[in-house]
Amino acid sequence: MAELIVIDGPESGREFTLRADQTLGRLQANDIPIHDAKMSRKNTRIFRQGKHWVIQDLGSKNGTWLNGESIEAERLEDGDEIRVGETLFRFAISATSPEGPAGLAEVSKATQAGSRRGGGAVSERALSFSKWSDVEQTRTSFFSLRQDLSQRDAGFRFLVFLGVLLVAVGIFFLIQFLIAGAD
């Protein structure tokens, strides 16, 4: 059995038992949702490859860090520390689990081809909205949009601002036209 243990960050103390394949990020739709504003919507993937574990960045802006180094895809070993956003995890393998603390096989080139610098990944954060499945959550699409925009570059944020401004001006003139027509 393998686990991710949050050792520092917004959800410190939480533990997650890992399945064969899961994603983590700030969206509730992830297998491991973490409420961390510095984390991408869908930031990182952790999966089994054979009887070993692999971590892969999913093209996130702030990246995925393994033992203090930025990674695209790497093997995981018992005790590794993973930083995603402002959250620090420890990867732990139970000594009685079938995968044990044995060394891990090399990550395949196919896995690395889809990673951030490999050129094959398409960002999952592309202004898509999803409903928050957790009933306790009161977050809206505007909250998601604000968090997504905070991870974009200044040029993109300016274009969004310009679009919102043009819509507001258009609504203003439409109201003025309707008021003038009513007189």
Side-chain angles (χ1 to χ4, degrees), residues 116-142:
R116 181 172 48 166
R117 292 184 196 95
V122 175
S123 175
E124 297 282 341
R125 300 179 294 120
L127 285 179
S128 61
F129 298 108
S130 67
K131 292 182 180 179
W132 295 88
S133 60
D134 191 350
V135 176
E136 296 176 13
Q137 294 294 329
T138 58
R139 296 179 178 180
T140 64
S141 294
F142 291 110

Side-chain angles (χ1 to χ4, degrees), residues 36-50:
D36 181 341
K38 298 285 184 181
M39 194 177 289
S40 293
R41 292 169 169 245
K42 195 169 187 179
N43 201 104
T44 304
R45 177 180 174 220
I46 298 176
F47 60 98
R48 294 277 307 259
Q49 187 175 43

Side-chain angles (χ1 to χ4, degrees), residues 13-155:
R14 285 190 69 190
E15 296 182 11
F16 301 94
T17 301
L18 299 178
R19 296 184 329 258
D21 192 346
Q22 58 270 302
T23 58
L24 58 102
R26 70 173 197 268
L27 280 182
Q28 280 301 122
N30 287 296
D31 302 302
I32 302 174
I34 302 291
H35 303 292
D36 181 341
K38 298 285 184 181
M39 194 177 289
S40 293
R41 292 169 169 245
K42 195 169 187 179
N43 201 104
T44 304
R45 177 180 174 220
I46 298 176
F47 60 98
R48 294 277 307 259
Q49 187 175 43
K51 59 182 178 174
H52 307 294
W53 291 94
V54 176
I55 186 168
Q56 177 184 21
D57 185 72
L58 296 174
S60 64
K61 184 171 183 178
N62 291 330
T64 300
W65 298 76
L66 179 63
N67 298 321
E69 294 184 26
S70 178
I71 57 109
E72 295 175 15
E74 280 295 324
R75 301 172 292 171
L76 285 172
E77 296 184 23
D78 188 40
D80 278 346
E81 290 190 350
I82 301 162
R83 179 166 297 279
V84 180
E86 293 180 340
T87 304
L88 182 64
F89 300 90
R90 177 171 293 120
F91 176 75
I93 297 177
S94 169
T96 59
S97 71
E99 58 263 11
L104 301 174
E106 288 296 317
V107 177
S108 69
K109 291 186 184 204
T111 301
Q112 292 181 0
S115 64
R116 181 172 48 166
R117 292 184 196 95
V122 175
S123 175
E124 297 282 341
R125 300 179 294 120
L127 285 179
S128 61
F129 298 108
S130 67
K131 292 182 180 179
W132 295 88
S133 60
D134 191 350
V135 176
E136 296 176 13
Q137 294 294 329
T138 58
R139 296 179 178 180
T140 64
S141 294
F142 291 110
F143 178 82
S144 299
L145 177 61
R146 183 174 55 94
Q147 282 193 333
D148 190 63
L149 287 175
S150 71
Q151 295 184 2
R152 301 293 180 146
D153 63 11

